[in-house]
Amino acid sequence: MRLTEYFLPTLKETPSEAQIVSHRLMLRAGMIHQAAAGVYSWLPLGFRVLKKVEQIVREEQDAAGAQELLMPTIQSADLWRESGRYEDYGKEMLRIRDRHDREMLYGPTNEELIADIFRTHIKSYRNLPKLLYHIQWKFRDEVRPRFGVMRGREFLMKDTYSFDVDYAGARRSYNKMFIAYLKTFARLGLKTIPMKAETGPIGGDLSHEFIILADTGESRVFCHKDLLAFDVLGTEVDYAADLQPMVDQWTSLYAATDDMHDAAEEKALGDRLVTARGIEVGHIFYFGTKYSKPMNATVTTVEGGSVPVEMGSYGIGVSRLVGAIIEAFHDDKGIIWPEPVAPFNVGLVNLRPDDRACAEAGDSLYRRLRRAGVEVLYDDRDERAGAKFADMELIGLPWQVVVGPRGVKAGTAELKRRATGGSEELSLDAVIDRLAG
Ligand code: 5CA
């Protein structure tokens, strides 16, 4: 993509309404545009990142055996009356009336809707287990939406729902999601702490929050050192196998937030304890028959009886993750994208597009990189070098290639790593080899 054609409205000034670094950087890097309080449009650069995060979340769900479907954002109030949550949910739910005065709502979550799909189409234990998920916008009318996409009113969530005939099966599904979450966040370059959690309005008695570490995170967490040392990406996971030992290994290690930690336990653990700051990016729940019973979602059993199906639900804040990744990876100049979610892998900076030799060298590098399948953003603008460098640092692409008159004469360009600032002068062929390799 040529920057002269790209829609990238970067800002020099720090927007005064933004209180946290990810919100400031997302506005300054031209990633989002506020549409209403807690509601955002995703501009091209931000949208590319959102799609990449979404795709990694999707791939790990698919690997765990979950099947993707798509439910609507608008739901009927009647379904929520069946579960009893229509009254309970309170003011966070955005309630809507259609032209016939029927009560609808903008979904804050989908337990009722998926239970309705299930009870209509699945009747027998023979069709179980099932893991179904969708990636869809949700609306929660938060009293004080803030921190940009980290706490929006409209936000993109991946929510999976599990259906099993008994508790043992439900535990197996829970464990699959537990491990899939560790894999997902590790692929995004994040350090994750699974932590036993409250279940809140979703209900049930077994739940874990997934907290990713970021110095600027909202919650303070305490955890055992070994929790951070596991290499989950290097561990081959067979989702058909019993994952309980692996889950036990993680959950046996101590992890707690500011308000729930146990002082005695903390003291006993002494120097094996790490304190850090973190952000909740995922939350999983086992709630058994809380929805299936009142909604009459039953299955026949092998003995010929009929039981309400055992359910769990598993959420990942996809749009929140974009902000959380920035909270974890930035410096005073801007964002430092981990490669798997970078909007482009390479920023090609042409210092003198007005100089013929420079223009030719830059254009040719751009073409060759694209031909090699590299996602490259080409700064071919007629701008001061300082402004170009500042924009590149701000938008944080993992690699920068700088083409200038001196290098062009020698047949070289500068290859620079955003994360370390380290750079080297390479021949143009070597630049292509390095980036396309
Ligand atoms: N039905 C369950 C699991 S599918 C559920 O709704 N869980 S949740 O309430 O914990 O939300 C799941 C994830 O969505 C959270 O872990 C968080 O990452 C994200 N999330 C929740 N509220 C917001 C919000 N206001 N803005 C951005 N992300 C949010």
Side-chain angles (χ1 to χ4, degrees):
M1 181 58 68
R2 285 174 181 271
L3 208 40
T4 45
E5 290 162 14
Y6 199 46
F7 179 48
L8 182 68
T10 56
L11 307 175
K12 282 194 192 62
E13 309 299 326
T14 298
S16 59
E17 75 271 24
Q19 297 168 33
I20 60 167
V21 69
S22 59
H23 190 193
R24 282 198 290 276
L25 288 173
M26 286 182 80
L27 290 169
R28 285 193 52 214
M31 292 177 65
I32 51 170
H33 173 93
Q34 186 176 316
V39 182
Y40 292 89
S41 298
W42 290 75
L43 305 184
L45 193 80
F47 191 55
R48 287 179 77 97
V49 179
L50 185 69
K51 287 281 155 195
K52 290 200 170 176
V53 172
E54 180 185 317
Q55 185 56 24
I56 288 173
V57 169
R58 173 179 289 118
E59 285 169 15
E60 292 304 322
Q61 287 298 302
D62 293 348
Q67 299 172 46
E68 186 171 9
L69 47 73
L70 183 61
M71 292 178 270
T73 54
I74 304 293
Q75 305 181 26
S76 147
D78 288 341
L79 272 181
W80 286 66
R81 288 209 174 84
E82 285 190 50
S83 73
R85 272 208 297 185
Y86 191 61
E87 305 308 328
D88 290 355
Y89 217 93
K91 291 202 161 178
E92 267 200 13
M93 185 190 275
L94 181 65
R95 293 155 209 261
I96 306 166
R97 276 178 197 274
D98 71 7
R99 66 199 297 161
H100 305 292
D101 223 24
R102 277 189 292 252
E103 289 171 284
M104 319 279 287
L105 56 99
Y106 192 124
T109 175
N110 285 65
E111 281 80 3
E112 284 79 357
L113 204 45
I114 198 86
D116 182 50
I117 293 172
F118 182 90
R119 70 182 171 184
T120 309
H121 299 286
I122 298 188
K123 312 279 185 197
S124 162
Y125 72 93
R126 276 191 230 98
N127 302 114
L128 298 183
K130 283 274 175 296
L131 278 165
L132 302 173
Y133 76 99
H134 76 158
I135 301 175
Q136 178 62 291
W137 295 90
K138 308 291 188 292
F139 194 95
R140 293 182 187 174
D141 204 352
E142 307 259 353
V143 193
R144 231 156 57 86
R146 58 199 170 130
F147 305 151
V149 301
M150 297 270 279
R151 177 156 319 177
R153 288 199 297 170
E154 191 189 44
F155 58 96
L156 188 61
M157 193 205 284
K158 183 287 299 173
D159 36 326
T160 307
Y161 300 87
S162 65
F163 300 91
D164 287 275
V165 72
D166 54 20
Y167 176 74
R171 257 332 273 260
R172 278 195 290 277
S173 296
Y174 189 92
N175 291 345
K176 282 183 191 173
M177 286 298 116
F178 190 105
I179 300 301
Y181 275 34
L182 296 178
K183 285 244 173 211
T184 303
F185 301 129
R187 275 187 67 187
L188 297 171
L190 300 165
K191 287 245 176 246
T192 320
I193 299 179
M195 209 160 68
K196 213 161 171 21
E198 306 289 322
T199 54
I202 308 296
D205 52 16
L206 174 62
S207 170
H208 283 89
E209 279 176 13
F210 288 76
I211 311 281
I212 60 105
L213 297 189
D215 291 340
T216 50
E218 250 195 291
S219 37
R220 206 154 89 92
V221 292
F222 299 82
C223 75
H224 196 291
K225 260 198 203 130
D226 294 353
L227 260 183
L228 301 179
F230 277 123
D231 174 21
V232 71
L233 274 189
T235 311
E236 191 65 39
V237 175
D238 173 7
Y239 283 103
D242 180 10
L243 299 175
Q244 193 67 51
M246 201 172 168
V247 170
D248 285 345
Q249 194 182 10
W250 282 83
T251 50
S252 66
L253 293 169
Y254 184 74
T257 63
D258 272 355
D259 47 332
M260 45 192 273
H261 80 274
D262 177 327
E265 203 167 342
E266 192 191 324
K267 198 154 177 272
L269 279 164
D271 58 1
R272 277 170 296 161
L273 212 57
V274 198
T275 62
R277 302 197 73 82
I279 300 163
E280 181 209 315
V281 290
H283 202 157
I284 63 177
F285 304 83
Y286 160 74
F287 43 74
T289 59
K290 178 179 151 97
Y291 301 89
S292 55
K293 218 184 221 166
M295 293 185 65
N296 215 19
T298 58
V299 281
T300 57
T301 62
V302 68
E303 293 87 15
S306 162
V307 291
V309 69
E310 288 274 331
M311 287 177 67
S313 74
Y314 313 87
I316 289 182
V318 177
S319 49
R320 173 179 288 186
L321 266 170
V322 177
I325 291 167
I326 296 174
E327 292 290 333
F329 302 108
H330 68 270
D331 62 15
D332 54 359
K333 299 197 193 86
I335 304 165
I336 306 170
W337 290 115
E339 297 210 23
V341 295
F344 296 89
N345 202 32
V346 178
L348 174 59
V349 179
N350 195 336
L351 291 180
R352 292 284 306 278
D354 57 325
D355 172 282
R356 224 180 104 199
C358 262
E360 274 171 16
D363 288 4
S364 142
L365 258 182
Y366 176 57
R367 271 196 308 272
R368 290 176 67 192
L369 284 169
R370 286 187 18 136
R371 219 177 296 136
V374 178
E375 292 179 312
V376 43
L377 183 64
Y378 179 25
D379 192 346
D380 57 342
R381 295 174 305 169
D382 212 356
E383 270 278 357
R384 283 180 308 109
K388 295 187 179 192
F389 288 134
D391 273 347
M392 270 305 162
E393 297 289 280
L394 173 65
I395 66 172
L397 309 181
W399 296 97
Q400 295 171 14
V401 178
V402 183
V403 175
R406 214 176 316 142
V408 165
K409 264 199 206 111
T412 64
E414 185 191 1
L415 179 66
K416 199 167 135 194
R417 191 110 180 85
R418 172 66 178 91
T420 58
S423 75
E424 51 189 319
E425 200 69 27
L426 294 174
S427 74
L428 303 185
D429 285 343
V431 168
I432 308 269
D433 281 350
R434 190 72 72 80
L435 295 173

